[in-house]
Amino acid sequence: MTLSYLEFMWVKHGLKPDTNVLIQQDYSNVSILVNEVSFGYLKSMNEFHREKSIYNLSWKVDMKKNYIAIQWRDKQLRLTSDCLERYCISSADKIILPLKASPRCYRLARQRKQWDTRLLDFANIDCDCLADTSAICLQFASNEALKLCLQILNDMFKLDCHTTLIGYSEMTRQNVQLKNSLFDFWSNYAFTMLLSLGFRVKKELTTTTVTKIQQLSVNSRGEPYSQHPCYLKLVAVYYRVKQDRFIDINTEFDKIPPMAPSTPLKNWEYVPRIYLTPYGIYPLSIKPMKGNRIIREKKRFGSSENFCRVIIRDIDLGTPQTDFMSINEQWIKDLITERTSISIGNLSFQFLLCSNSQLRDKSFWFYAPYKDWNAERIRRWMGDFSHEKCVGARIARMALSLTGTTATIRVSRKHIQTVEILIYFYSSSKIIK
């Protein structure tokens, strides 16, 4: 795309709004007509690519809850400081709002006339589009309406505004096969992590770059996570693209050095961790964690990559609240009762267990079958807990097997009774003294 002029921009990153500054003007009754709202990504500071659009909407403000609502009929898309970047871009009739996280959707409850019903989509914008969108473009009917919106954005969120000519085009169709194209778990895990950045990666990857990733995956087969060339390369690319919104992933792919290989810590395990939302899977970089009785049984249950910590989050990666849990109750039930599984990399994971503390954090252990072992058989292997009728007590007893511990000595089954007798006499002598 050729633009008539380009204007140098300096964007301030990491600035936080001054919450101590009071907003002098009340915008609660302001309603502004918006001709078009488009969902897509920024190719550069001057070039916006759109995937889908909605026409004839209104812009409303809730001063008490500190959000801006884009309203279409009986549906709202709410923009808060948590999902907006610290700057916006404007032209003669458009404002582009870069996003840090997906905004939440609501529907008007007719009986109470309140916007308190959570949704996962917005008009004809489905979950996939909202998950992959990293910028929203608003087009106004008049320059006065645009200036008022900029004033509201500055007063409420203290956004830096940059003015330039904006190139506006339809998003190109992606013909590159992205899913199930790699050859081992860690390659697929890191590739899924990279694709979670949305349209600006999925729509920009060329066949040449995907071929390079595939070849790197072939050369990495059999390597552990910490020495896996494909994983280390793709995670480095992920952080670079996440830091620089306008990077050309195809030209910079070869220039980005892979992450330095790490030395695994002794007696620590490296288990995959993901954020799971109704929009999709967001793999996290691998970090060491204490082992436990189950994970240490590698010969029986497989390596640590057969286990996964699944952390359920809202669509904006925030902690789930009551409204989220109510509309996704069946989805969560299906996960816990193993009616549905989670595909991560080239493995399929099912619910294994959780502790009471993990349950409060919406965090669960999942397991991918290994040889003839599956999640149900592991729970039976842990022991007989049928005498525990209280659900909380049963979870607590079973979760002891997945509590982080340090490996010491192994006691064979034939010596367990001897150990119990020694412990009994030791305890009795302490009491006598």
Side-chain angles (χ1 to χ4, degrees):
M1 177 180 295
T2 304
L3 301 177
S4 58
Y5 71 89
L6 295 176
E7 185 174 323
F8 175 76
M9 295 291 172
W10 174 53
V11 179
K12 299 178 181 178
H13 292 283
L15 295 182
K16 296 182 179 179
D18 187 354
T19 55
N20 295 323
V21 178
L22 297 177
I23 301 175
Q24 300 296 327
Q25 187 172 346
D26 185 2
Y27 299 105
S28 298
N29 297 321
V30 173
S31 181
I32 304 171
L33 295 179
V34 184
N35 284 356
E36 178 184 354
V37 176
S38 301
F39 299 77
Y41 71 100
L42 278 166
K43 172 73 173 178
S44 68
M45 285 291 287
N46 316 82
E47 189 176 345
F48 178 81
H49 290 204
R50 68 176 177 181
E51 167 71 4
K52 293 182 180 179
S53 298
I54 307 177
Y55 303 93
N56 301 322
L57 306 95
S58 61
W59 163 300
K60 297 182 182 296
V61 179
D62 190 313
M63 300 292 292
K64 294 181 179 178
K65 297 182 179 179
N66 200 32
Y67 68 78
I68 293 169
I70 299 173
Q71 185 172 322
W72 185 81
R73 297 180 182 175
D74 64 341
K75 294 186 178 182
Q76 276 190 353
L77 189 75
R78 294 183 182 177
L79 303 174
T80 65
S81 58
D82 292 331
C83 66
L84 291 175
E85 287 281 8
R86 302 278 17 106
Y87 65 97
C88 62
I89 306 169
S90 70
S91 66
D93 61 342
K94 300 182 183 70
I95 296 177
I96 295 180
L97 297 172
L99 301 178
K100 292 188 296 185
S102 299
R104 298 183 180 185
C105 308
Y106 291 81
R107 176 186 289 155
L108 177 65
R110 296 290 185 184
Q111 296 177 349
R112 296 186 299 275
K113 294 184 179 181
Q114 294 179 350
W115 297 90
D116 57 359
T117 305
R118 284 289 302 277
L119 295 171
L120 296 179
D121 53 9
F122 178 63
N124 65 322
I125 309 299
D126 56 18
C127 297
D128 291 338
C129 182
L130 286 173
D132 291 333
T133 293
S134 56
I136 295 177
C137 181
L138 311 175
Q139 185 171 355
F140 298 89
S142 65
N143 189 256
E144 290 73 18
L146 181 142
K147 289 182 178 178
L148 178 57
C149 290
L150 288 176
Q151 181 181 342
I152 295 172
L153 290 170
N154 180 65
D155 287 351
M156 290 189 66
F157 304 130
K158 305 298 180 289
L159 301 188
D160 290 329
C161 178
H162 305 276
T163 304
T164 184
L165 179 67
I166 298 175
Y168 190 72
S169 62
E170 297 293 335
M171 199 177 297
T172 57
R173 297 294 96 189
Q174 176 59 263
N175 297 319
V176 180
Q177 180 65 33
L178 299 179
K179 293 184 178 180
N180 303 320
S181 58
L182 302 185
F183 299 94
D184 67 343
F185 174 78
W186 290 117
S187 298
N188 276 285
Y189 183 86
F191 194 45
T192 304
M193 187 175 178
L194 182 61
L195 294 180
S196 68
L197 294 176
F199 287 135
R200 62 194 180 110
V201 172
K202 294 180 179 178
K203 298 297 182 180
E204 292 294 323
L205 280 176
T206 63
T207 304
T208 302
T209 303
V210 172
T211 302
K212 291 178 182 178
I213 297 173
Q214 289 174 333
Q215 186 58 49
L216 191 58
S217 175
V218 171
N219 298 337
S220 305
R221 278 190 290 190
E223 294 290 339
Y225 128 82
S226 58
Q227 306 292 326
H228 197 281
C230 188
Y231 173 88
L232 298 175
K233 177 72 171 182
L234 293 181
V235 171
V237 174
Y238 167 84
Y239 282 114
R240 179 66 183 279
V241 175
K242 190 174 182 180
Q243 182 182 15
D244 185 353
R245 183 181 290 268
F246 308 120
I247 188 175
D248 186 334
I249 189 172
N250 300 297
T251 60
E252 297 294 323
F253 184 83
D254 293 330
K255 302 176 184 178
I256 300 174
M259 291 180 61
S262 59
T263 303
L265 300 175
K266 189 177 181 180
N267 297 326
W268 290 76
E269 300 291 342
Y270 294 81
V271 178
R273 299 177 306 128
I274 66 165
Y275 281 152
L276 180 65
T277 79
Y279 284 0
I281 294 171
Y282 298 83
L284 305 174
S285 57
I286 308 300
K287 294 182 179 180
M289 61 181 296
K290 276 191 173 183
N292 56 57
R293 178 193 174 202
I294 305 299
I295 292 179
R296 283 195 287 269
E297 294 284 343
K298 298 183 186 300
K299 293 183 179 180
R300 182 179 277 113
F301 304 136
S303 62
S304 58
E305 68 189 54
N306 287 84
F307 296 85
C308 183
R309 285 292 294 274
V310 175
I311 307 165
I312 293 180
R313 286 291 179 261
D314 208 326
I315 59 174
D316 55 3
L317 302 185
T319 303
Q321 303 299 324
T322 304
D323 57 350
F324 172 87
M325 301 303 291
S326 61
I327 67 169
N328 294 287
E329 182 179 356
Q330 189 59 48
W331 173 65
I332 296 172
K333 281 183 178 179
D334 289 344
L335 285 172
I336 294 176
T337 57
E338 301 180 38
R339 293 176 184 172
T340 58
S341 57
I342 302 172
S343 295
I344 306 170
N346 56 355
L347 297 178
S348 180
F349 290 80
Q350 289 187 321
F351 173 78
L352 175 60
L353 202 61
C354 68
S355 66
N356 286 322
S357 60
Q358 291 168 355
L359 190 60
R360 288 191 294 271
D361 190 43
K362 315 300 186 293
S363 175
F364 307 91
W365 281 100
F366 275 61
Y367 177 73
Y370 175 76
K371 294 183 178 179
D372 57 347
W373 286 93
N374 57 24
E376 175 61 29
R377 190 179 174 192
I378 289 179
R379 288 193 292 269
R380 292 199 303 267
W381 176 87
M382 290 178 184
D384 182 10
F385 300 94
S386 59
H387 60 282
E388 291 288 356
K389 303 304 179 182
C390 174
V391 175
R394 179 178 291 194
I395 291 176
R397 300 292 183 271
M398 296 179 71
L400 290 175
S401 296
L402 287 166
T403 301
T405 54
T406 302
T408 53
I409 60 173
R410 295 181 65 89
V411 180
S412 63
R413 188 175 296 275
K414 65 180 181 180
H415 293 140
I416 290 178
Q417 187 175 3
T418 304
V419 172
E420 289 176 344
I421 293 172
L422 291 174
I423 293 174
Y424 171 77
F425 281 112
Y426 176 77
S427 302
S428 300
S429 63
K430 294 282 286 186
I431 294 172
I432 293 172
K433 290 180 180 180

